[in-house]
Amino acid sequence: MTPDLLEAQSGEAQVLRIFGIAPGSLAEATLLTSSTEGPEALAQSAGHTLGQILLDPAWIELVDQKDVASIGGLVAYLETGYDPPKDALSKLREALRGAPQYVLLVLSRAFGNEAIRFLPSSGLEPLVAVSLVHPPAPAMAMAPDDSAGPLDAKAPPVKAPMSQARISGMVAFVALIFIGLFTTFIVLIAG
């Protein structure tokens, strides 16, 4: 079943929604500024631009496509970081062709299993929603291993670790801020 791009069901699990951020829009300015202030500020701004909803900052991400170009682009980043099923990959490739530089990634866990109707503000374009749930593997004719213990069917999914490109981009951004502050400090002292 294909998830709805603008409406999440109560209890929805492992759905990734991607919104494009129009260049030069108020949404872009707001989200970029808030992303420099930390995850909570980004979550608050993203929730506002998506229709006044509360978002958990652990489950949203603002991606600059320039930061992921070195690893093969946004689809490659999503493939390694979010591990979508093969059928979702083809849907992502098609939907993200020509996507703007900045995109907002929102996982279904971001809104706490509540039913949500997204009302994106101007400058925020809904691009695609895909399920990250993999189809069950074919049954194997092997005896069960009791030493592993019972499977916990309610275990929460693990958020993918940050990619090297994202970490490098964050380090470069912090270094630029430090250089700017240091230069300003030197100019003030010399002036």
Side-chain angles (χ1 to χ4, degrees):
M1 182 174 143
T2 302
D4 189 316
L5 184 54
L6 293 176
E7 192 167 339
Q9 304 301 316
S10 177
E12 177 182 273
Q14 296 187 352
V15 173
L16 173 65
R17 288 178 176 81
I18 303 176
F19 298 87
I21 303 168
S25 66
L26 178 59
E28 181 186 57
T30 302
L31 291 169
L32 290 179
T33 300
S34 64
S35 71
T36 64
E37 297 168 0
E40 289 79 16
L42 175 61
Q44 186 175 6
S45 292
H48 178 74
T49 60
L50 287 169
Q52 304 294 339
I53 59 177
L54 294 176
L55 294 175
D56 182 338
W59 304 100
I60 65 169
E61 184 176 4
L62 181 65
V63 177
D64 181 346
Q65 292 209 57
K66 289 181 181 176
D67 290 344
V68 295
S70 64
I71 62 165
L74 184 57
V75 174
Y77 173 73
L78 295 171
E79 184 175 10
T80 57
Y82 290 86
D83 189 32
K86 289 186 190 283
D87 64 325
L89 271 175
S90 60
K91 188 174 181 181
L92 285 169
R93 278 190 190 93
E94 183 179 322
L96 297 176
R97 191 175 297 125
Q101 178 181 349
Y102 294 100
V103 293
L104 181 66
L105 310 179
V106 182
L107 288 161
S108 52
R109 299 268 318 254
F111 36 88
N113 296 324
E114 298 291 326
I116 297 290
R117 176 83 179 143
F118 296 100
L119 302 168
S121 64
S122 177
L124 206 59
E125 176 191 354
L127 297 176
V128 66
V130 294
S131 173
L132 300 178
V133 176
H134 286 266
M140 303 281 288
M142 294 174 43
D145 181 7
D146 292 334
S147 65
L151 292 177
D152 183 5
K154 294 186 180 187
V158 178
K159 186 173 180 184
M162 282 195 249
S163 70
Q164 287 295 86
R166 182 169 181 211
I167 292 170
S168 298
M170 291 169 70
V171 168
F173 181 74
V174 170
L176 285 173
I177 289 176
F178 177 77
I179 291 169
L181 291 173
F182 183 73
T183 304
T184 303
F185 178 72
I186 296 298
V187 169
L188 290 174
I189 290 176

